[in-house]
Amino acid sequence: MSNRLNQVIVDYGKARIDTYRKIYRAIKRYDRIVIFRHIKPDFDAFGSQLGLAQFIKDNFPNKEVHVVGDNHVSFTGRIYPEMEELSNEFFKDRNFLAIVLDVGDHHRIADPRYKNAKYIVKIDHHPCRAEITKKCALVDLDISAASELVADVILNWKGTTLSKEAAKWLYTGIVGDSGRFMYSSTNQHTFAVAEELIKTGININEIYQVMYEKGINNLYVTAYILNSFKLSEHGVAYYVMSDETQKKLNITSELGKENINLFSNIRGINVWCSFSEDVAAKEPTWWVSIRSKKKDISGIAAKWHGGGHAQASGARISGLHELDALIKDLDDLFVEEN
């Protein structure tokens, strides 16, 4: 496999290449590898995790490779396989490598037992408050998806091969986190990586069909959103999915945000959000998904117990009594434009 991506598109410099080599050495060194990612997984969390796991299995068949974390109410079974359930007994032997993907902060890692690992590698594209590992962290905030960064690591590893199966998983992650190549984080490198993945023979039409296919019930959810959404003075659109509403629509809190991009190409809407109540959480919780056309909303998401990217972030409020304040914070971003 060539390393033309770095040669042609980006000169990463010695520090970046040294980190790649650390990752290669760690994977070679450990016979037991567990791959972790964030809670409430999205396309990129699953895609980067399963893509890297498949790559390691293909090139190092004698290694024991596991993927752990919570399943997704819609993606699991339809797009991605179920996650493994490893016993506490497995983690008592600390002689394993933990690879943490697509998560900036330790409190969002789906399985805290990554801490038991003898060595930890992190590959991510999110800003973080405190680094998960100081030994081997590969973080690039300009990359559209963790799957893109994982693919770059793989594509620059001489003497290895990238299978069609691994490429498929990585491609779903890139497509999901780049908004089908529409977000501002998409650049020349994103398309170059996608090209290399497509060269393996993956069928992108089949991938898109599986990723974005919806059931008839989704029409009723869409109808509810279009009839109940609110719009602030300066173009912040939002809708609310209470637990009662979710039950009426026969959806879960995780599915409450799946229609958020209904507002993505509407003139006059600058930011769009979904608020989904989660009665299963340990404390009063409403999950907030936030998307933006141009302005960076990650700082506001961080203020509201979340974080993410400039145009795609998540947050959390304890109840609807905080909704107006969060919307005002977003609305204030556009006061000078009106």
Side-chain angles (χ1 to χ4, degrees):
M1 184 172 295
S2 70
N3 63 344
R4 74 173 187 84
L5 286 178
N6 286 346
Q7 291 178 341
V8 175
I9 299 172
V10 179
D11 180 9
Y12 285 131
K14 186 177 184 300
R16 175 70 163 259
I17 298 304
D18 284 348
T19 302
Y20 278 41
R21 289 171 179 161
K22 281 184 181 180
I23 295 171
Y24 302 154
R25 287 196 296 267
I27 292 174
K28 287 180 179 179
R29 186 186 314 136
Y30 289 90
D31 291 329
R32 298 164 66 236
I33 300 172
V34 185
I35 304 179
F36 300 78
R37 40 77 177 163
H38 62 74
I39 58 172
K40 293 189 175 295
D42 55 9
F43 290 126
D44 193 25
F46 276 126
S48 59
Q49 185 183 37
L50 291 167
L52 180 57
Q54 188 63 52
F55 168 79
I56 296 172
K57 291 176 183 178
D58 291 337
N59 289 275
F60 304 95
N62 293 325
K63 292 186 182 295
E64 182 182 344
V65 184
H66 302 278
V67 290
V68 296
D70 49 328
N71 288 305
H72 188 279
V73 67
S74 173
F75 295 169
T76 299
R78 183 172 64 87
I79 305 172
Y80 304 108
E82 287 195 8
M83 294 290 100
E84 298 179 57
E85 293 185 11
L86 297 179
S87 67
N88 288 329
E89 191 68 27
F90 174 92
F91 291 100
K92 286 183 179 179
D93 180 358
R94 301 188 61 179
N95 190 32
F96 72 94
L97 169 66
I99 304 179
V100 180
L101 304 175
D102 196 37
V103 55
D105 295 310
H106 64 87
H107 69 277
R108 296 199 71 240
I109 299 175
D111 190 324
R113 294 175 295 181
Y114 76 94
K115 298 174 184 176
N116 291 27
K118 192 170 184 179
Y119 194 83
I120 301 172
V121 167
K122 191 188 89 163
I123 304 175
D124 185 37
H125 66 141
H126 297 92
C128 62
R129 297 182 183 91
E131 191 50 80
I132 291 167
T133 173
K134 290 180 168 54
K135 290 184 177 179
C136 187
L138 175 62
V139 180
D140 190 334
L141 304 183
D142 296 322
I143 290 286
S144 72
S147 295
E148 179 184 340
L149 192 52
V150 169
D152 194 83
V153 171
I154 290 171
L155 290 166
N156 284 283
W157 192 341
K158 295 180 180 180
T160 62
T161 59
L162 176 63
S163 69
K164 184 177 176 180
E165 184 75 3
K168 178 184 72 172
W169 297 133
L170 293 169
Y171 190 82
T172 66
I174 294 172
V175 168
D177 245 29
S178 69
R180 284 183 267 190
F181 305 104
M182 292 177 63
Y183 294 158
S184 62
S185 57
T186 304
N187 55 35
Q188 185 182 3
H189 184 269
T190 311
F191 286 112
V193 170
E195 179 185 9
E196 295 299 313
L197 299 180
I198 292 171
K199 284 179 181 179
T200 65
I202 59 175
N203 187 321
I204 62 174
N205 291 326
E206 289 183 0
I207 290 173
Y208 289 137
Q209 180 66 28
V210 173
M211 287 179 68
Y212 297 108
E213 183 179 58
K214 298 181 183 297
I216 295 295
N217 185 62
N218 189 260
L219 294 176
Y220 297 103
V221 178
T222 301
Y224 168 81
I225 293 170
L226 294 178
N227 281 291
S228 64
F229 80 92
K230 306 293 184 184
L231 185 64
S232 73
E233 181 181 1
H234 301 297
V236 179
Y238 62 96
Y239 63 89
V240 175
M241 288 283 189
S242 67
D243 181 63
E244 180 182 0
T245 299
Q246 292 168 33
K247 289 175 179 175
K248 286 181 179 178
L249 294 172
N250 194 29
I251 62 171
T252 66
S253 61
E254 289 178 288
L255 296 178
K257 69 177 183 179
E258 287 202 346
N259 289 274
I260 188 172
N261 282 323
L262 283 170
F263 306 98
S264 61
N265 294 307
I266 307 300
R267 187 183 302 114
I269 294 181
N270 300 309
V271 173
W272 47 103
C273 318
S274 69
F275 292 80
S276 299
E277 186 177 13
D278 185 358
V279 295
K282 294 180 180 179
E283 56 189 26
T285 298
W286 289 71
W287 299 108
V288 188
S289 290
I290 312 171
R291 303 291 183 267
S292 170
K293 279 182 182 174
K294 296 180 180 179
K295 291 292 184 71
D296 185 344
I297 41 84
S298 61
I300 292 173
K303 174 182 175 181
W304 290 94
H305 317 292
H309 307 290
Q311 291 177 280
S313 289
R316 176 174 54 84
I317 59 174
S318 61
L320 293 183
H321 62 282
E322 296 182 310
L323 184 150
D324 288 343
L326 193 160
I327 295 299
K328 183 179 185 304
D329 283 345
L330 294 169
D331 209 44
D332 287 346
L333 290 173
F334 303 93
V335 170
E336 296 181 0
E337 296 184 4
N338 291 270

